[in-house]
Amino acid sequence: MLNGFLPTFHSNSNLKSLNLYSTKFSGPIPQSIGNLKSLITLNFAFCNFVGTIPSSIGNLSHLVNLDFQFTNLTGQLPSTFGNLSKLEDLSLSYNSFSGKLPSTMGNLVKLKSIYLDHAGFTGELPSTLGNLRQLEFLDVVGNGINGRIPLSVVNLTRLTTLYLHYNGLNGELPLGLTNLTKLESLGISYNALSGAIPSSLFTMPSLSEVLLNENQFTGPLTIHNNVTSSQLTSLSLSSNKLNGPIPNSLFKLKSLVSLSLDSNNFNGTIKLNMFSKLRNLQSLYLSQNSLSVTYMYSNSTLLPKLFSLGLASCNMSGKFPYFLKNQNELMFLDISNNRIEGEIPNWFINMSVENLNHLNFSHNHITHWETPQFILPWTNLKILDSSFNKLQTSLVVPPVSIQYFFMSENRMSGGISDMFCDFVDLVVLDVSNNHLNGTIPSCLTSFSTELSMLSLKGNNFHGKIPQTFLDGNKLMTLDLSHNQFQGKVPKSLIKCKALEVLNLGHNQLSDRFPFWLQNLPELQVLVLRSNNFSGPIWQRKMIVGFANENGFTWRSVMVGYGSGFVVGAIGGYFIISKKPNWVTRIYGRKF
């Protein structure tokens, strides 16, 4: 692969194209680049240059295509950029620029496409962008752009794509957006826009994608009845402050493929069968509103075939929803935080066996599987959350694809199968606060280097804690509290270099106080109370507890003494410093 530094360019050059795409050239871009006055194409994308774009870039008055994406450039864009009067395509994405876009960019009246995503720019968008009447594509995603969207943007009548996601834009959407009759994609999510969403958006003739999620829009969703010719396929308004009922006119947007209205303040009752009118619909998210979703239990054809369905906190009650029976293409299903009760029917076990990736039915009143399950059949399942139910079953074994497994706050009994040791991609295993018992498999602390959280809290496990923690593991939280574990604190815990929370409280451990844990660099919370530890909890010439000259930074330590004796224990435990707020969120007050 080519590498090296750029030479000094001479003014008598007739070079028309300089393309170093994805080479290993490095160093600064020399001022002499401005001597290449015949250049039409300049491509330094995916190189290793450093420093700023020299002001002499403005001498390249014949330049049509400029691509500096992924080039490690810094500093402000020179105002001389405005001299590139023939420029049609500009890409500066994924750099580390700073400062505002220069107002002279408004001089580049032949520009057709601008790619500035994740480039580091800040400040307001210049109003002179409205001069770019030939512009078709504008992408300024993931910068530090703030202020209002300039009103002049409505002059860009040839614009087909406007992406401003992940910035700090505020204020209302500019009036006159309907002037952009060729606009196909409007994406301004993850900003701080406010005010009402104009109903005129839904009558724009070419618009197929509206992504306004994660803003602060308010008021009702107003869609007039004259939208039958709408081309809209994707509408995402989630995580705003919209209120009122979902209008019936929404169901006239016949081309909708994806609809996201979750995490707003919508209210009222909505009949699920209304969505059968949207025959192209593949993704539907209504979660986290004040809606009451109603349906006829015996009807399994209320919805078109979906890939994603979010109905969390939708005031659904009664038996497991029968309308899911024919949803054999589902990849994502969230029906958490409802009042669904009783059994999980057999037909659900056989639904979407090869497709289901994310399943959440937590915070309901589900009690059991219609037919007891040992191994779940969903072969590609990565996330399963059935916590906070009333499951009175043995602990099911998920497929080997599982990454996040939440079964806490149920009434499950029995032990943990050795088959869990096959889950090499598992990140979270939480079976806390059940009635599980027995010893835990010796491999449970060594089967996955990806595991970041292991919580067996509040069960009846006994025996010794396995001694087999692996080098290079990513464990951040280990909670074995409120069980009946015996023996000593495993010395292999010293390999858990990422460990932040270690809770071994309320067991029957018998050991000397584990001073060696101070060598865990990230540990912030240690709970050992109500065990049988012995020996001193601090040493002379040390500050408090474990705080020593090596900069020990634990935030909270609780040490109990059970039937043993710990010198210096006060009231059963002591705290080195105030418990941080994030610990309270995880554990509440119970240690």
Side-chain angles (χ1 to χ4, degrees):
M1 183 177 289
L2 292 174
N3 59 67
F5 300 95
L6 291 178
T8 298
F9 298 106
H10 299 290
S11 57
N12 58 353
S13 171
N14 291 314
L15 188 67
K16 288 182 168 55
S17 178
L18 178 56
N19 189 343
L20 301 179
Y21 174 86
S22 199
T23 61
K24 293 295 184 182
F25 276 88
S26 58
I29 299 173
Q31 278 285 350
S32 61
I33 193 79
N35 292 331
L36 303 178
K37 296 182 180 179
S38 297
L39 268 185
I40 296 173
T41 298
L42 178 58
N43 190 339
F44 289 168
F46 296 93
C47 290
N48 295 317
F49 292 111
V50 295
T52 61
I53 296 176
S55 59
S56 61
I57 196 82
N59 296 338
L60 308 182
S61 57
H62 291 87
L63 201 63
V64 175
N65 304 296
L66 174 61
D67 191 347
F68 282 178
Q69 62 177 313
F70 289 94
T71 314
N72 300 319
L73 295 172
T74 58
Q76 296 190 2
L77 209 59
S79 60
T80 53
F81 240 78
N83 299 338
L84 305 179
S85 57
K86 294 186 178 180
L87 196 64
E88 295 182 6
D89 299 296
L90 171 64
S91 180
L92 302 176
S93 302
Y94 290 92
N95 281 285
S96 300
F97 295 113
S98 58
K100 296 181 178 181
L101 291 170
S103 60
T104 54
M105 283 194 70
N107 299 338
L108 310 181
V109 294
K110 291 191 176 182
L111 270 176
K112 294 181 179 178
S113 64
I114 299 177
Y115 293 85
L116 302 178
D117 50 307
H118 300 90
F121 293 111
T122 58
E124 298 184 0
L125 291 173
S127 60
T128 53
L129 285 178
N131 299 339
L132 309 180
R133 304 296 179 96
Q134 306 299 313
L135 196 64
E136 298 173 2
F137 191 100
L138 177 57
D139 181 351
V140 196
V141 171
N143 286 275
I145 303 298
N146 54 35
R148 293 174 174 264
I149 300 171
L151 295 176
S152 60
V153 76
V154 303
N155 297 331
L156 307 179
T157 54
R158 295 196 178 188
L159 202 63
T160 63
T161 302
L162 177 59
Y163 286 153
L164 303 174
H165 307 290
Y166 294 98
N167 281 289
L169 294 165
N170 55 45
E172 300 183 0
L173 289 173
L175 295 174
L177 275 179
T178 50
N179 293 350
L180 308 182
T181 56
K182 295 185 178 181
L183 192 65
E184 298 174 2
S185 296
L186 175 63
I188 322 181
S189 60
Y190 294 90
N191 280 279
L193 297 175
S194 57
I197 294 175
S199 60
S200 55
L201 281 183
F202 303 103
T203 61
M204 294 176 66
S206 301
L207 198 59
S208 64
E209 182 182 50
V210 174
L211 308 175
L212 299 177
N213 50 294
E214 301 286 345
N215 279 285
Q216 298 177 28
F217 290 110
T218 55
L221 178 60
T222 303
I223 302 175
H224 295 305
N225 288 322
N226 58 338
V227 294
T228 52
S229 60
S230 171
Q231 303 300 308
L232 199 61
T233 61
S234 180
L235 176 60
S236 180
L237 304 178
S238 59
S239 298
N240 279 284
K241 299 177 181 179
L242 299 171
N243 57 35
I246 294 176
N248 286 333
S249 50
L250 173 74
F251 302 105
K252 295 187 176 182
L253 300 173
K254 302 293 187 181
S255 299
L256 273 181
V257 174
S258 177
L259 176 61
S260 300
L261 302 178
D262 50 300
S263 300
N264 279 284
N265 299 316
F266 290 117
N267 56 38
T269 298
I270 187 157
K271 295 180 180 179
L272 205 58
N273 66 311
M274 294 293 287
F275 292 96
S276 64
K277 297 179 180 182
L278 305 177
R279 296 186 178 183
N280 298 307
L281 198 64
Q282 296 178 358
S283 298
L284 174 62
Y285 299 96
L286 300 177
S287 301
Q288 308 298 335
N289 282 285
S290 298
L291 292 169
S292 292
V293 171
T294 62
Y295 51 90
M296 291 181 60
Y297 178 76
S298 60
N299 191 344
S300 63
T301 58
L302 293 176
L303 295 171
K305 296 282 188 179
L306 299 174
F307 293 147
S308 300
L309 178 59
L311 295 176
S313 301
C314 282
N315 288 306
M316 297 190 300
S317 60
K319 296 180 180 179
F320 207 86
Y322 191 68
F323 62 80
L324 294 172
K325 185 172 183 179
N326 290 328
Q327 295 294 327
N328 53 14
E329 297 179 7
L330 272 179
M331 300 174 65
F332 175 99
L333 176 62
D334 186 353
I335 52 173
S336 63
N337 286 287
N338 285 289
R339 297 188 303 279
I340 300 168
E341 60 188 29
E343 65 185 16
I344 301 173
N346 288 337
W347 56 258
F348 183 74
I349 301 298
N350 299 316
M351 184 204 74
S352 202
V353 168
E354 296 180 356
N355 298 318
L356 197 60
N357 178 278
H358 179 128
L359 174 58
N360 186 350
F361 56 87
S362 64
H363 293 84
N364 279 287
H365 306 300
I366 296 168
T367 56
H368 63 285
W369 310 86
E370 180 180 359
T371 300
Q373 300 295 309
F374 179 60
I375 301 176
L376 296 178
W378 299 296
T379 54
N380 290 301
L381 192 66
K382 289 182 168 56
I383 300 173
L384 174 61
D385 190 348
S386 62
S387 56
F388 291 89
N389 275 283
K390 299 178 180 179
L391 288 169
Q392 302 178 36
T393 64
S394 59
L395 183 63
V396 294
V397 177
V400 293
S401 58
I402 199 72
Q403 294 179 357
Y404 297 86
F405 187 71
F406 300 95
M407 284 276 182
S408 63
E409 305 289 343
N410 279 285
R411 302 170 184 176
M412 293 182 296
S413 57
I416 297 179
S417 168
D418 289 344
M419 295 179 69
F420 275 81
C421 300
D422 296 329
F423 303 149
V424 295
D425 295 322
L426 194 63
V427 177
V428 172
L429 174 58
D430 184 358
V431 295
S432 59
N433 296 320
N434 278 282
H435 304 309
L436 299 172
N437 54 40
T439 59
I440 62 174
S442 59
C443 59
L444 201 61
T445 57
S446 61
F447 67 95
S448 171
T449 57
E450 298 300 313
L451 192 67
S452 68
M453 176 182 176
L454 175 60
S455 180
L456 309 182
K457 173 185 177 181
N459 283 285
N460 297 308
F461 293 115
H462 62 265
K464 294 183 178 180
I465 301 172
Q467 303 282 332
T468 52
F469 292 92
L470 294 177
D471 286 319
N473 72 74
K474 299 177 182 178
L475 195 63
M476 298 174 66
T477 298
L478 177 62
D479 192 343
L480 306 181
S481 64
H482 295 271
N483 280 285
Q484 300 172 36
F485 288 112
Q486 299 133 7
K488 297 184 177 182
V489 178
K491 290 292 180 64
S492 59
L493 271 173
I494 200 64
K495 299 177 181 179
C496 302
K497 302 300 183 183
L499 195 64
E500 297 179 357
V501 176
L502 176 59
N503 189 349
L504 302 178
H506 297 273
N507 278 286
Q508 299 174 21
L509 299 174
S510 300
D511 201 353
R512 300 282 292 178
F513 188 82
F515 283 105
W516 48 271
L517 287 173
Q518 68 181 308
N519 294 315
L520 293 175
E522 302 298 327
L523 196 60
Q524 300 181 55
V525 177
L526 172 64
V527 184
L528 300 175
R529 65 182 300 175
S530 297
N531 279 286
N532 296 312
F533 288 99
S534 60
I537 57 177
W538 64 68
Q539 295 178 355
R540 293 184 65 184
K541 298 183 180 180
M542 281 187 166
I543 306 177
V544 178
F546 279 14
N548 61 26
E549 59 188 9
N550 296 321
F552 179 65
T553 58
W554 293 2
R555 297 184 183 176
S556 179
V557 178
M558 289 185 170
V559 184
Y561 47 83
S563 60
F565 181 70
V566 180
V567 177
I570 302 173
Y573 63 88
F574 70 93
I575 300 177
I576 284 181
S577 63
K578 183 178 180 181
K579 184 170 57 176
N581 290 335
W582 65 270
V583 177
T584 304
R585 287 198 299 271
I586 296 172
Y587 291 105
R589 294 180 178 275
K590 184 178 181 182
F591 282 88

